[in-house]
Amino acid sequence: MDNKNFGILIVDDEQIVRESLYRWFIEDGFRVETAENGADALRKLQKSSFDIAFVDIRMPGMDGLELQRRIKEIDKSISIIIITAFASVESAVRALKEGAYDYVTKPIDPDELSHIVSNIINQKKLMLENIQLKQKIEDLSQVEEIVGESPQIKKVFELILTVAKTDTTVLIRGESGTGKELVAKAIHANSSRKYFPIIPVNCGALNDNLLESELFGHERGAFTGAQYRRKGKFEMADGGTIFFDEIGNVSEKLQVDLLRVLETKQFTRLGGEQLINVDVRIICATNRDLEQAVKEGKFREDLYYRLNVFTIFLPPLRERKSDIPILVEHFIKKYSQVMSKPIMKIDPDALDVLMRYDWPGNVRELANAIERAMVIGKPPAIKKEDLPFQLLSNGVDKPLSDSLEEIERAHILKILNQCDWNITRSAEILGIDRATLYNKINKYKLR
Amino acid sequence: MHIEILGARYNKYINIDNLCKNVSNVFGLEVKFKKIVLDFGLAFDPHRLQYYSTKLLELIINSGNLNNDRKSIILTDLDLFVPILTYVFGEAELNGKAAIASSHRLHNEYYGLPRNDELLQSRIEKEIIHELGHTFGLIHCSDNFCVMHSSSYVEDIDLKYSDFCKECRKIYNSL
Ligand SMILES: [Zn+2]
Ligand SMILES: [Zn+2]
């Protein structure tokens, strides 16, 4: 990380001090701003963010201690260094107790100054690296989750590797449960951005206002409840990848905002003025018919063309049934480890049931079925009786369960898949209202 | 573009010819040397017994003798400071025309060690190249051996080469 990404704010009423510290840090390549009093400093803090603030303890008006409190209210992560004269070391110690990073006495030893600043910078870099490392480990384990040997899934692997090396926007399409998020993570993990985070955004889960502040962040006081400045997902993804799941669900207004960010790579936080530049790769996923949505005027055509540069279609599981045995093996291994339960295989007739079923919920439904079977089943193998009812009804055997709930669940899932998860349409067909349908989706964990 | 070293109360043990030659090699530019007289009293702080380097820089900036196709650097042996810091080895206008470098704290004698002219020569050379680097817009480099590395101890200066690292060289060459 470059020094130019670190901001230093110098607050001192003496112009000479401001100027000489400014020149000193500019030569280090930092972004440096100065303020001549507390009020001026707070204004600058509203406009842009800083990592370090040098604060003179004695200033007319708001003194250094008071300013320190106010800065911490705006942004807790700023490291504050108190500038003091020998005479006021006592109040500097008080500032330390209230959370100042350190203090320096005038005149400052250049070596001491370099030391304090490089310590802070190194800490911040380390923190960032730790986050990125953790993310990386998670990514790697995610990639292994795409399992299969069928020609259809091999084609997907090939596309992932091809596009990963580029910075192209990717649109991942496929039915619910086909593993679109796994593909996004695999692209990221195989790209040069892998040491930076991949930040997922579920566009279907949040309302407009929340999504906006989630994406772009906000300044303190941007709206009721915005007590602190917060970075948005675009900023968190800087250097890495941002993954929009269910992109087909974003509102008109957000479509416009997104288009602008895609074109300029710039935005402002809610309630802010500072233009923020980000370097992010964009991956989107949808199970909706975007072309139809464009025709109906529900999805902007210009945004559609921006996103639809490189498309990966994930085949539904029913079109790559030859992968079922190897997927089953994979999930058995995974859950036996998680549950510490020695079930290591599946009976042939149970596997046969799995092969006959159509899997409207795709790989996710298969994973759920195996998980459930491993919970209720007994070692050493999964038996046919351990499988959920709807699988059996779909196959040759008679239903093992007459539970109304199982039937309801299977029926709702079928309709949802028929309607491409269009909630309004599905609710109409099912003869229930949208809220009830949402409740049932949650209850049966259909997502 | 060329470089002008302005000697003002500089140390007589410094070999000016070698200095000019080596600075010229690093920047690939002609280096001229000129003795000048400055009104040092304006920059003197009687309490600290040091000279305010920014004021000295202003003296030559305001003299009207600076030129857009010339980088000028003052070579002096006075002890320099800026008000907030205890001392500085030198100062430069980042991306500007003027800089200043002092040998005062580059002498072994300053640290109670025996005189060593060779060491002094190489230290002042690096300091001059470093400050001139700033006037070309170069900022501090994280490579410990690069002449653009920021050093607040002479030992750090001794560690550096009197040349840019690969990265800084790339930046300089692209100017
Ligand atoms: Zn420097
Ligand atoms: Zn360098």
Side-chain angles (χ1 to χ4, degrees):
Chain A
M1 199 166 177
D2 245 343
N3 277 356
K4 70 170 189 295
N5 292 323
F6 287 97
I8 297 183
L9 179 64
I10 296 154
V11 193
D12 201 305
D13 55 319
E14 276 181 89
Q15 196 195 350
I16 269 185
V17 173
R18 290 198 302 274
E19 273 178 10
S20 49
L21 282 178
Y22 178 86
R23 295 179 78 125
W24 179 263
F25 288 120
I26 270 293
E27 288 186 357
D28 284 327
F30 293 112
R31 176 168 58 80
V32 195
E33 285 187 53
T34 62
E36 54 184 316
N37 55 47
D40 190 17
L42 292 172
R43 265 195 303 278
K44 298 238 151 97
L45 273 158
Q46 296 289 359
K47 283 205 181 120
S48 36
S49 50
F50 296 92
D51 299 281
I52 301 176
F54 282 89
V55 174
D56 187 11
I57 198 140
R58 284 171 80 168
M59 288 184 290
M62 193 189 306
D63 72 359
L65 275 171
E66 175 60 19
L67 178 59
Q68 163 166 310
R69 276 175 222 127
R70 303 275 291 270
I71 291 177
K72 290 279 175 188
E73 272 172 28
I74 296 173
D75 191 341
K76 278 185 280 197
S77 67
I78 298 181
S79 306
I80 295 173
I81 298 165
I82 297 291
I83 305 173
T84 175
F86 270 114
S88 50
V89 165
E90 254 175 59
S91 32
V93 172
R94 209 163 74 230
L96 281 186
K97 279 189 189 140
E98 289 186 20
Y101 181 87
D102 208 340
Y103 71 89
V104 288
T105 45
K106 286 193 260 195
I108 311 165
D109 179 30
D111 188 54
E112 193 189 346
L113 191 59
S114 308
H115 244 98
I116 293 176
V117 171
S118 65
N119 277 347
I120 296 175
I121 301 294
N122 287 340
Q123 277 176 16
K124 298 221 172 198
K125 282 184 184 166
L126 205 66
M127 229 161 65
L128 210 72
E129 277 165 15
N130 279 343
I131 295 170
Q132 285 160 3
L133 190 71
K134 213 177 125 219
Q135 183 70 47
K136 196 187 144 206
I137 290 163
E138 279 168 14
D139 288 348
L140 286 179
S141 53
Q142 292 290 349
V143 179
E144 288 163 11
E145 296 252 327
I146 309 175
V147 173
E149 284 171 358
S150 61
Q152 292 96 320
I153 204 73
K154 277 191 176 153
K155 177 79 193 150
V156 170
F157 288 144
E158 211 175 282
L159 291 173
I160 289 173
L161 291 176
T162 310
V163 80
K165 306 293 169 217
T166 71
D167 254 347
T168 310
T169 300
V170 183
L171 181 61
I172 304 166
R173 310 186 66 162
E175 290 177 8
S176 183
T178 45
K180 295 187 286 290
E181 182 161 3
L182 295 180
V183 171
K185 287 185 167 167
I187 292 171
H188 175 76
N190 285 288
S191 76
S192 59
R193 297 173 172 270
K194 62 187 168 195
Y195 297 112
F196 292 87
I198 173 168
I199 304 287
V201 182
N202 187 340
C203 307
L206 297 167
N207 75 37
D208 230 29
N209 291 338
L210 263 173
L211 189 55
E212 210 179 344
S213 107
E214 279 274 308
L215 283 181
F216 304 113
H218 59 73
E219 293 293 337
R220 180 170 179 257
F223 48 83
T224 340
Q227 261 196 303
Y228 297 104
R229 158 184 296 150
R230 219 177 116 199
K231 283 189 178 178
K233 299 212 162 180
F234 267 111
E235 270 177 274
M236 293 197 268
D238 195 13
T241 304
I242 192 160
F243 171 57
F244 292 104
D245 202 0
E246 298 182 54
I247 187 73
N249 291 0
V250 291
S251 70
E252 273 295 315
K253 180 176 178 316
L254 260 167
Q255 289 180 31
V256 178
D257 290 343
L258 277 179
L259 187 65
R260 193 163 0 133
V261 183
L262 254 58
E263 276 167 359
T264 61
K265 306 258 175 198
Q266 272 185 340
F267 60 92
T268 54
R269 298 194 193 104
L270 295 193
E273 291 168 24
Q274 185 196 2
L275 266 181
I276 295 165
N277 286 289
V278 284
D279 168 29
V280 291
R281 193 234 191 108
I282 294 178
I283 301 180
C284 301
T286 185
N287 55 21
R288 286 185 56 183
D289 185 349
L290 281 188
E291 291 74 12
Q292 184 60 31
V294 168
K295 254 184 235 155
E296 288 169 8
K298 287 176 186 153
F299 201 84
R300 292 183 66 101
E301 197 172 7
D302 40 10
L303 182 59
Y304 169 76
Y305 283 114
R306 275 262 163 200
L307 299 178
N308 192 24
V309 184
F310 188 100
T311 304
I312 297 180
F313 284 97
L314 280 183
L317 187 54
R318 63 181 172 278
E319 285 174 19
R320 56 171 184 121
K321 281 192 168 178
S322 62
D323 282 334
I324 290 178
I326 172 173
L327 277 162
V328 169
E329 194 187 323
H330 168 76
F331 289 128
I332 289 179
K333 211 153 128 199
K334 179 177 162 186
Y335 293 123
S336 72
Q337 267 167 20
V338 176
M339 299 174 190
S340 309
K341 197 167 175 178
I343 294 182
M344 303 312 286
K345 54 185 182 187
I346 183 163
D347 281 351
D349 57 340
L351 183 62
D352 190 51
V353 170
L354 299 181
M355 293 294 285
R356 284 161 195 266
Y357 184 61
D358 262 351
W359 300 108
N362 293 296
V363 181
R364 188 188 301 142
E365 192 186 4
L366 175 62
N368 290 345
I370 299 294
E371 187 180 10
R372 176 184 184 275
M374 303 230 351
V375 170
I376 57 176
K378 288 183 193 68
I382 294 178
K383 288 174 278 305
K384 203 162 71 171
E385 307 85 82
D386 304 331
L387 298 174
F389 152 75
Q390 74 267 25
L391 273 61
L392 303 167
S393 68
N394 186 280
V396 285
D397 287 305
K398 67 174 181 14
L400 267 183
S401 163
D402 286 321
S403 147
L404 196 57
E405 287 200 339
E406 290 276 30
I407 292 169
E408 182 176 88
R409 181 187 188 279
H411 184 61
I412 290 174
L413 190 61
K414 190 177 124 207
I415 299 299
L416 281 169
N417 281 316
Q418 266 176 21
C419 301
D420 251 336
W421 281 74
N422 181 317
I423 301 295
T424 311
R425 219 157 6 118
S426 305
E428 266 170 34
I429 293 174
L430 291 164
I432 51 178
D433 59 41
R434 290 165 48 97
T436 311
L437 180 52
Y438 270 123
N439 285 338
K440 293 202 186 279
I441 288 171
N442 285 335
K443 178 179 162 197
Y444 295 126
K445 297 193 169 49
L446 291 176
R447 292 225 149 186
Chain B
M1 174 66 70
H2 70 278
I3 290 166
E4 170 184 73
I5 299 177
L6 304 169
R9 285 174 63 178
Y10 62 97
N11 188 288
K12 58 177 188 245
Y13 298 117
I14 294 170
N15 181 330
I16 298 296
D17 287 345
N18 279 345
L19 177 66
C20 292
K21 201 176 73 202
N22 291 337
V23 172
S24 170
N25 280 340
V26 169
F27 290 94
L29 296 170
E30 190 193 348
V31 177
K32 291 178 188 156
F33 182 82
K34 195 162 94 184
K35 277 190 203 180
I36 58 160
V37 179
L38 282 180
D39 191 354
F40 288 105
L42 290 173
F44 185 64
D45 183 318
H47 299 286
R48 299 182 55 155
L49 302 175
Q50 286 174 306
Y51 295 81
Y52 185 1
S53 68
T54 316
K55 281 260 163 67
L56 291 173
L57 267 185
E58 278 167 10
L59 283 179
I60 62 162
I61 290 167
N62 297 334
S63 69
N65 291 328
L66 296 190
N67 190 321
N68 267 336
D69 48 41
R70 186 167 67 212
K71 306 285 184 190
S72 302
I73 182 161
I74 303 173
L75 168 67
T76 182
D77 197 50
L78 300 171
D79 192 12
L80 304 180
F81 80 103
V82 296
I84 192 65
L85 299 177
T86 47
Y87 67 90
V88 291
F89 290 138
E91 191 181 341
E93 285 188 299
L94 190 65
N95 239 329
K97 297 175 217 166
I100 180 167
S102 161
S103 53
H104 188 88
R105 288 171 189 254
L106 304 181
H107 299 276
N108 258 359
E109 302 94 295
Y110 184 86
Y111 304 96
L113 297 166
R115 196 179 118 190
N116 183 335
D117 291 349
E118 211 179 307
L119 212 49
L120 173 67
Q121 179 80 22
S122 91
R123 285 170 182 170
I124 191 66
E125 200 174 290
K126 291 170 190 174
E127 187 50 30
I128 295 245
I129 296 167
H130 179 102
E131 298 304 341
L132 282 170
H134 283 318
T135 65
F136 284 100
L138 291 174
I139 55 169
H140 288 155
C141 174
S142 56
D143 182 340
N144 284 313
F145 302 108
C146 174
V147 75
M148 289 316 292
H149 189 74
S150 164
S151 20
S152 32
Y153 283 133
V154 273
E155 289 86 346
D156 296 338
I157 299 180
D158 293 340
L159 200 64
K160 304 197 281 195
Y161 293 118
S162 13
D163 201 350
F164 301 130
C165 70
K166 264 193 202 147
E167 291 302 308
C168 292
R169 173 60 65 190
K170 228 192 273 169
I171 298 170
Y172 177 74
N173 285 346
S174 69
L175 295 173

